[in-house]
Amino acid sequence: MKFPQIQIRTYDIILDLQIHDPVQIIRQPKATQHIEQPAAILEINTTRGQLIIDSSQARRDIGMIGPLESVENYAKEGKKAVLEGIARRAREGRQMMKNAGKDLGRQTIQNIAKQNHGPKRIPFNVKFVPSVGSVKIDYIPGETEINITPQKPKIDVQVNKPIHEYTPGKVTGEVLQYPRVEIDVIL
């Protein structure tokens, strides 16, 4: 005996899909900046240094003296020479008085003449002209005062918004085959 048979066939859906991808563009423009740095305020105050050179003693040592000092020196030397001359003549006079009554008077005068007119020895020595240390140097240093006042920078920043462009994606489809179920009964 033959039994009836059921035959079942299924068909899936067949789709044709067109997919358009989304497009997204993001651009970030750089920030607009303006930076300015003012120069610092600089103040410098100085006092001059002083160099003092006193060469008056060195000038005196080499004979360069002023007229007032020259006259004063010559007056002192003249007074000294006069006093020495008076003392010498007084001394010679006493020598002659001692020997006046004796027969030695003539010899005394000869001795006095030899003392005054004989060769005189002048001491020989090395002399430094001008003398060592005759130039006096003094220095008073100057001062420098520095004041700096820094200035803060001026910063101006403008942030630019990002540029965002978006095109959404799209999916379109077409059904090429619809789903179905076919049932057949075979006897």
Side-chain angles (χ1 to χ4, degrees):
M1 144 166 175
K2 258 185 165 194
F3 290 106
Q5 289 182 346
I6 294 178
Q7 216 177 18
I8 301 174
R9 277 189 238 133
T10 59
Y11 296 95
D12 291 331
I13 190 168
I14 298 175
L15 296 173
D16 179 22
L17 298 175
Q18 281 103 28
I19 301 171
H20 298 284
D21 291 333
V23 177
Q24 177 171 284
I25 300 171
I26 300 174
R27 281 176 284 169
Q28 176 65 58
K30 291 182 180 180
T32 306
Q33 297 182 42
H34 179 72
I35 300 174
E36 186 179 330
Q37 176 65 59
I41 299 169
L42 178 66
E43 295 176 6
I44 301 175
N45 297 318
T46 59
T47 57
R48 292 182 182 214
Q50 292 181 350
L51 177 63
I52 301 165
I53 300 173
D54 182 10
S55 63
S56 58
Q57 183 61 42
R59 290 174 173 264
R60 281 188 208 98
D61 288 351
I62 61 172
M64 292 180 63
I65 53 178
L68 295 176
E69 190 176 354
S70 177
V71 168
E72 188 178 324
N73 289 345
Y74 282 126
K76 283 180 186 176
E77 287 176 21
K79 184 176 180 182
K80 181 181 172 186
V82 165
L83 292 176
E84 285 175 359
I86 292 171
R88 182 176 56 89
R89 283 175 181 72
R91 188 176 56 248
E92 290 171 357
R94 277 191 223 103
Q95 281 178 349
M96 289 177 16
M97 281 177 30
K98 280 183 188 177
N99 298 326
K102 301 175 188 168
D103 202 19
L104 300 171
R106 192 174 210 199
Q107 192 176 8
T108 304
I109 294 173
Q110 286 177 353
N111 288 339
I112 291 172
K114 281 182 186 178
Q115 288 174 4
N116 292 335
H117 297 291
K120 293 183 182 178
R121 290 194 173 187
I122 298 173
F124 177 75
N125 198 357
V126 176
K127 182 178 179 184
F128 294 100
V129 176
S131 60
V132 177
S134 62
V135 177
K136 293 169 183 66
I137 298 174
D138 189 25
Y139 178 69
I140 301 169
E143 294 180 4
T144 301
E145 183 181 321
I146 300 173
N147 293 323
I148 300 173
T149 306
Q151 300 293 316
K152 291 185 178 180
K154 296 177 184 174
I155 301 173
D156 182 23
V157 178
Q158 183 180 6
V159 179
N160 295 319
K161 292 183 178 180
I163 299 169
H164 183 237
E165 296 174 5
Y166 178 72
T167 306
K170 190 176 180 184
V171 177
T172 56
E174 182 182 342
V175 178
L176 298 176
Q177 175 182 317
Y178 287 98
R180 66 179 195 268
V181 176
E182 290 181 356
I183 301 174
D184 287 331
V185 178
I186 301 176
L187 293 176

